């Protein structure tokens, strides 16, 4: 049974919350695909139940196949330093904030927060600038020349 099929008024608020969470999940993981399964009337425990859940989730698709090709983030080096690009579709510039602590970069986008462990080459570098363009957050880190 899908939440939309529930007609009982008792579940009205629950259904609204679920739809909001689904939207947040889809926005948070875009462009990665998000699979939905129906609401089951029991806990999905054990091999038979898990097979049923897999059929409901993937249908005739092979669950072992690659469902997305592409990069959700990139790191590039140029003469001025490093550029980290993160896909953040459906986000307004005013809703984005960055915090850097040691080798971690915290990206807050609305209600979603992503902790990104920085590679060793960026761990000691400070963020120089950041802009949001076309659903991509571009973050520039200082290069070696800036470290002197």
């Amino acid at each position: 049974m899908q939440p939309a099929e529930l007609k009982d008024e008792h579940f009205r608020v629950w259904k609204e919350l679920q739809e909001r969470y689904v939207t947040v999940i889809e926005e948070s993981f875009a462009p990665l695909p998000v699979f939905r399964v129906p609401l089951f009337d029991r806990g999905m425990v054990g091999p038979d139940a898990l097979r049923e859940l897999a059929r409901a989730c993937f249908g005739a698709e092979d669950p072992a196949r690659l469902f997305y090709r592409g990069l959700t983030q990139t790191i590039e080096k140029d003469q001025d330093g490093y550029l980290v690009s993160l896909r953040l579709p459906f986000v307004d510039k005013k809703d984005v904030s960055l915090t850097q602590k040691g080798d971690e970069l915290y990206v807050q986008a609305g209600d979603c927060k992503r902790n990104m462990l920085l590679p060793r080459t960026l761990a000691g570098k400070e963020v120089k600038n950041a802009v949001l363009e076309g659903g991509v957050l571009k973050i520039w880190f200082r290069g070696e020349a800036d470290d002197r």
Side-chain angles (χ1 to χ4, degrees):
M1 177 182 320
Q2 292 287 2
E5 295 167 345
L6 295 172
K7 303 297 183 201
D8 189 327
E9 182 60 26
H10 174 75
F11 289 105
R12 183 185 59 77
V13 173
W14 180 81
K15 288 173 12 180
E16 290 172 3
L17 283 171
Q18 292 301 310
E19 282 306 311
R20 272 190 281 175
Y21 287 134
V22 167
T23 301
V24 168
I25 289 167
E26 289 173 343
E27 290 176 357
S28 298
F29 287 93
L32 302 176
V34 174
F35 298 94
R36 292 184 182 210
V37 296
L39 177 63
F40 289 93
D41 60 357
R42 66 194 179 291
M44 302 308 286
V45 178
D48 292 337
L50 291 177
R51 276 189 282 280
E52 183 181 353
L53 179 63
R55 278 191 301 275
C57 181
F58 297 104
E61 294 284 343
D62 176 3
R65 85 169 180 84
L66 185 61
F67 287 94
Y68 176 78
R69 292 188 191 278
L71 300 173
T72 58
Q73 66 185 36
T74 61
I75 300 174
E76 302 170 46
K77 184 178 188 323
D78 64 18
Q79 70 276 4
D80 297 324
Y82 297 87
L83 170 64
V84 174
S85 298
L86 302 171
R87 289 185 48 97
L88 295 179
F90 314 112
V91 175
D92 290 329
K93 180 179 177 178
K94 64 179 175 44
D95 296 329
V96 177
S97 66
L98 296 176
T99 306
Q100 184 179 0
K101 291 183 183 173
D103 63 351
E104 286 190 83
L105 183 67
Y106 300 91
V107 180
Q108 179 100 23
D111 294 334
C112 300
K113 188 176 192 178
R114 180 187 287 182
N115 297 5
M116 180 180 168
L117 188 60
L118 295 171
R120 186 177 302 158
T121 55
L122 296 180
K125 310 267 186 262
E126 289 183 34
V127 172
K128 184 166 45 172
N129 191 22
V131 297
L132 182 65
E133 295 176 338
V136 177
L137 179 62
K138 296 180 179 184
I139 309 163
W140 285 271
F141 287 81
R142 299 188 186 285
E144 284 80 15
D146 297 326
D147 293 339
R148 293 185 200 137

